[in-house]
Amino acid sequence: MSSTTNGQWYPPEWPDRIRALANGELTPAEPRRAATVLLLRDSDSGGPAVHMLRRRASMAFAGGAYAYPGGSVDPRDERPVAWAGPSRAQWAVRMGVDPATAQAIVCAAVRETFEEAGVLLAGASADTVVADTTGEDWEADRAALVARELSFADFLGRRGLVLRSDLLGAWARWITPEFEPRRYDTWFFVAALPEGQRTRNASTEADRTVWIQPGAAAAGYDRGELLMMPPTIATLRGLQRYATAGDALAAAEAQDLTPVLARARLVGGEIELSWPGHDEFTKHITATDAAGGAPGGGAPEGPADGTGPSGGTST
């Protein structure tokens, strides 16, 4: 396997799968809806910090990669919930989907943030937010949500809580490449850490969590020290221009939500792999590269057959 020049995650089996897709030997899987959240908090210098988790090295999918809290939409996320902020119809217009789908994705974003980071974007009323989610009763509910023994709607209803959709901003949308065996249509959101709450590593898929400024994380990626998938590093670069978490949240309204879907084509005996609008991820893979592992600039890490997304999914 060739050496890496940055921390771009790249599974060695991709070339074979890309060729199989081009030859009509592979039928693309239908992507599942998913959501992930870039939690932000203001720091004393250099702009806001973002909460990231590192996937355990033993994970079959993207082991060792840094990502954000997130996961798949639960069908029960469409159930009625007490709702504050922009209406479901307004979210539907912003996201280009129907209101039921918009609610499910927003609910998934809030639910997964609680499940994986212990942070809850909800309050007793439309203008309050929970100040503390620690304690045995909260942990019992969080574990029940993870196990799918409790729906998010029932969780909010039992506690008399209102989902604060106004605390989220839709930031980007990435769809897993067609040659991946498990695919996700993932919405990326930004949110500021509510006052009084704190993050913790509540994910069984992560071995550590960090608060890090986007510029520092991007520099670590560029040096090949931090492994990331394309949407993770792309969203980090986009956050670098904002001085505060509030600035980033305000800027979300103008973010382009056109889905980013990798394109792969055969040019002679070479594969060209690209992500529209993100030239830094373009790769040209020769037969020699495919036989030897990842091409220069790719990280030869783990197969892409993980059981689900976590903070960016397989995009």
Side-chain angles (χ1 to χ4, degrees):
M1 295 184 180
S2 58
S3 61
T4 64
T5 56
N6 61 23
Q8 185 176 340
W9 177 77
Y10 180 89
E13 69 273 17
W14 271 8
D16 288 342
R17 296 192 63 83
I18 290 170
R19 289 193 173 91
L21 179 66
N23 294 331
E25 301 165 358
L26 188 155
T27 301
E30 187 69 22
R32 296 176 60 185
R33 297 196 303 270
T36 190
V37 176
L38 287 68
L39 274 176
L40 305 172
R41 73 179 184 190
D42 290 329
S43 59
D44 294 333
S45 60
V50 61
H51 177 70
M52 303 188 76
L53 54 83
R54 184 178 68 184
R55 293 178 59 81
R56 295 183 185 277
S58 59
M59 296 295 293
F61 168 74
Y66 280 80
Y68 314 114
S72 299
V73 169
D74 182 334
R76 299 175 299 174
D77 288 331
E78 291 189 10
R79 292 183 180 178
V81 297
W83 186 278
S87 68
R88 295 162 180 81
Q90 289 173 304
W91 275 104
V93 171
R94 172 73 179 109
M95 300 169 71
V97 297
D98 62 82
T101 298
Q103 176 190 301
I105 295 168
V106 170
C107 279
V110 176
R111 174 179 52 75
E112 288 285 344
T113 303
F114 180 57
E115 288 182 12
E116 296 202 340
V119 171
L120 184 59
L121 304 176
S125 64
D127 55 1
T128 63
V129 66
V130 173
D132 185 6
T133 61
T134 60
E136 292 183 2
D137 59 332
W138 285 103
E139 177 55 26
D141 280 350
R142 192 198 66 78
L145 286 167
V146 172
R148 298 298 181 260
E149 297 168 354
L150 177 66
S151 73
F152 192 57
D154 288 344
F155 163 70
L156 292 178
R158 192 168 68 191
R159 287 185 172 270
L161 296 175
V162 178
L163 184 146
R164 291 285 307 275
S165 79
D166 55 315
L167 299 182
L168 287 168
W171 193 262
R173 182 183 180 187
W174 290 66
I175 301 176
T176 306
E178 292 181 333
F179 48 82
E180 275 279 27
R182 300 189 181 189
R183 303 182 62 217
Y184 300 92
D185 182 352
T186 305
W187 296 85
F188 287 73
F189 296 86
V190 291
L193 179 70
E195 185 175 352
Q197 293 194 39
R198 62 179 185 270
T199 57
R200 59 191 177 90
N201 183 7
S203 172
T204 58
E205 297 181 353
D207 60 10
R208 70 172 300 202
T209 61
V210 297
W211 280 99
I212 187 170
Q213 291 174 332
Y221 167 90
D222 290 336
R223 292 191 300 267
E225 297 170 0
L226 301 183
L227 182 68
M228 298 180 200
M229 292 172 278
T232 309
I233 181 60
T235 48
L236 281 173
R237 295 203 196 284
L239 286 174
Q240 287 182 249
R241 71 193 72 174
Y242 301 104
T244 68
D247 290 343
L249 195 60
E253 295 181 8
Q255 292 298 307
D256 184 3
L257 299 182
T258 302
V260 180
L261 174 63
R263 296 174 180 169
R265 61 175 186 157
L266 296 177
V267 183
E270 183 179 78
I271 296 171
E272 181 183 86
L273 179 60
S274 63
W275 281 258
H278 300 272
D279 293 343
E280 73 167 293
F281 306 128
T282 298
K283 293 183 180 298
H284 294 88
I285 308 163
T286 66
T288 300
D289 288 327
E301 293 286 338
D305 58 355
T307 57
S310 182
T313 74
S314 173
T315 40

